Every structure is written in structure tokens, then in C-alpha cells.
């Protein structure tokens, strides 16, 4: 039983601090991208001159529980100031300065941005909020950050030229981080893939024609999908449709298996981001694909 507990601990609770550092950078870039894509329509969605005045959202909220600091903004200038504050929070997270503080501020920022316009929110926004929330419980600044650099400088005081040698400095931390938040993130993503699989139970999924019909949905098809859809063979639609089902169905096993962890995780890192790249190439699904791919930096 002790060996089993240790195996489960390594598989479900431990994570390399270098992975956390890479994930922090990827998450910050994702959040910055989400912020910048909203700038062109700032007045339309975040000011009272647009389609959703803040008093309307406060008195007739789109959901039972809504939190957004952007409810304070009435004019376009006030909303723009809020965007600048969000950008500063994301930049603080990106460089890893006072990382824990900027993790929390980034969570508040992204929830505020999304909750102000719930009508626009999709699965990608939900997953982005989840990533920002669960990662608040992880030490994302332990590697590849300003905080890590400051900690290294404080760990050893240089008093001579010899002290400046690279090999004279203390080695950066490599010991795995153990946290329930690691398991929460793994389980969260396994659940996303599981329900995406079981909900794909319609006739066109069984027939394998869902890719064909998706490419003819003008609301979501990309320019590439539009160019290829007339010559897209049915046999390829079947192959891709059934492959999608197989990959999403296998994802919980690949992510949560306590056996052959390295091989399983490597397989997940290869096939699942490739699947999301395929989604992004042919379907406009917002930031769902890049958000899901950001997870694999962990």
C-alpha cells in the first residue's frame, strides 16, 4: 500500500516547477491575447454607449451569480482604463514578479472581462477561468521568473569576482511541487474530455458525417474550411469524426493513468493539442483551442 500511495502521489499530485514556469508564461500570453482581441469592440460591449449598458446588466443580470469590476465602468474611457489595469496584471504574471499577487489579480481581471459580457462567453472562456482559478493554488513563480531571480540573488551574496561564476551560484529548484491543485487540474481536464465524448451521441457522430456538416455551418467555419468544404470527401469526414471521438474518449485515461505515466502524458501532449489545432484550423470556436492547448505546458 505504501508503494501504491507513492505511485499515486507522483502521478496525480506532483509537478515539475519548470512546467509551472512554462505554464505561467503560456497562461499570461493567452490572457493577453484574450484581452487584445476585445479592444476593437471595447465601446460596443464595455461602455454605456454600446449594446449592454452597465445599469442594465446590474438590474437584469444575465446569470444568477455575476461578478465583474467592469460594472463600475460607464464611459469608454473608464472601460479602457480597466483594460489597461487588466493588461498590467497579465504582464506581472508573464514576468513572474510578485507572482502570487498577480495570479490573483489576473483571475479577478479575466473573470471581470468575461462576466461583463456573458452573452459572448463560450467554452474557451470558461476553461480560461478554470485555469486561472486552479493555478492560483500553485507556485507558478518558482522558475523562469523575476521572483526566482531575486530568490537566487538573495540565496548567495557575491563578494568577489569568483563568486560571479555560473557554477558558484546555487542550483535552481528542481524538486517536484506536491499539491491537490495538480490533481484538480488533471481531473478538471479529464472531465471536460469525458463529457465532450458522451455528449457526442447523435446520429451524425455515429455516421461519421459531423465534420462534413460542421464545415457547412457558415457561422463557425473558417476561411480554410470554406475553401476546402466543397471538395472534402465523406470518407475523410468519417475518419476525422471517429478519430475525434476516440481521442477525446482516450484523454481521461491518458491524463489520469497512474501506470506508464511518462508514456501516457507524452501521448496526450502529442495527439490532443494536434486535435485542437485541427479544430482551430477549420472552426471558429473562440479561444477554446489555444486555452485547451495551454494546459499541456503543465
Amino acid at each position: 500500500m505504501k508503494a501504491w500511495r507513492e505511485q499515486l502521489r507522483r502521478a496525480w499530485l506532483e509537478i515539475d516547477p519548470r512546467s509551472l514556469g512554462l505554464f505561467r508564461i503560456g497562461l499570461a500570453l493567452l490572457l493577453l491575447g484574450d484581452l487584445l482581441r476585445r479592444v476593437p469592440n471595447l465601446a460596443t460591449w464595455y461602455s454605456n454607449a454600446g449594446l449592454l449598458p452597465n445599469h442594465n446588466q446590474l438590474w437584469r443580470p444575465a446569470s444568477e451569480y455575476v461578478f465583474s469590476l467592469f460594472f463600475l465602468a460607464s464611459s469608454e474611457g473608464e472601460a479602457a482604463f480597466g483594460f489597461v489595469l487588466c493588461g498590467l496584471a497579465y504582464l506581472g504574471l508573464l514576468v513572474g514578479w510578485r507572482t502570487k499577487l498577480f495570479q490573483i489579480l489576473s483571475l479577478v481581471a479575466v473573470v471581470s472581462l468575461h462576466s461583463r459580457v456573458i452573452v459572448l462567453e463560450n467554452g474557451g472562456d470558461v476553461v480560461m477561468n478554470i485555469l486561472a482559478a486552479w493555478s492560483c493554488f500553485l507556485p507558478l513563480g518558482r522558475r523562469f521568473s523575476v521572483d526566482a531571480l531575486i530568490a537566487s540573488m538573495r540565496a548567495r551574496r557575491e563578494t568577489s569576482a569568483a563568486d560571479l561564476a555560473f557554477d558558484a551560484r546555487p542550483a535552481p529548484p528542481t524538486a517536484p511541487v506536491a499539491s491537490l491543485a495538480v490533481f484538480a487540474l488533471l481531473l478538471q481536464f479529464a472531465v471536460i474530455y469525458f463529457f465532450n465524448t458522451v455528449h457526442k451521441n447523435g446520429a451524425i457522430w455515429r455516421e461519421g458525417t459531423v465534420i462534413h456538416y460542421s464545415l457547412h455551418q457558415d457561422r463557425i467555419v473558417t476561411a480554410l474550411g470554406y475553401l476546402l468544404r466543397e471538395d472534402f470527401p465523406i470518407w475523410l469526414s468519417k475518419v476525422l469524426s471517429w478519430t475525434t471521438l476516440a481521442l477525446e474518449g482516450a484523454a481521461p485515461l491518458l491524463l489520469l493513468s497512474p501506470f506508464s505515466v511518462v508514456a501516457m502524458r507524452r501521448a496526450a501532449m502529442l495527439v490532443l493539442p494536434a486535435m485542437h489545432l485541427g479544430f482551430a484550423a477549420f472552426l471558429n470556436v473562440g479561444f477554446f483551442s489555444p486555452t485547451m492547448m495551454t494546459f499541456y505546458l503543465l
Side-chain angles (χ1 to χ4, degrees), residues 37-54:
R37 72 185 179 125
R38 297 170 186 270
V39 171
N41 298 310
L42 183 150
T44 303
W45 297 111
Y46 289 90
S47 77
N48 287 0
L51 297 176
L52 294 173
N54 58 0

Side-chain angles (χ1 to χ4, degrees), residues 3-14 256-258:
W4 263 101
R5 286 196 298 269
E6 186 60 27
Q7 176 73 9
L8 293 177
R9 174 187 172 85
R10 288 197 300 267
W12 290 348
L13 300 179
E14 291 187 353
L256 294 176
S257 173

Side-chain angles (χ1 to χ4, degrees), residues 43-105:
T44 303
W45 297 111
Y46 289 90
S47 77
N48 287 0
L51 297 176
L52 294 173
N54 58 0
H55 52 268
N56 178 74
Q57 293 292 85
L58 287 168
W59 290 107
R60 295 296 298 271
S63 181
E64 185 175 2
Y65 301 103
V66 184
F67 166 82
S68 176
L69 292 179
F70 280 95
F71 289 146
L72 297 170
S74 299
S75 68
E76 183 177 353
E78 292 168 351
F81 179 69
F83 270 51
V84 171
L85 293 180
C86 291
L88 292 175
Y90 298 158
L91 288 174
L93 180 65
L94 177 65
V95 300
W97 178 65
R98 298 186 179 271
T99 309
K100 183 61 66 176
L101 171 63
F102 281 106
Q103 284 178 253
I104 297 171
L105 292 178

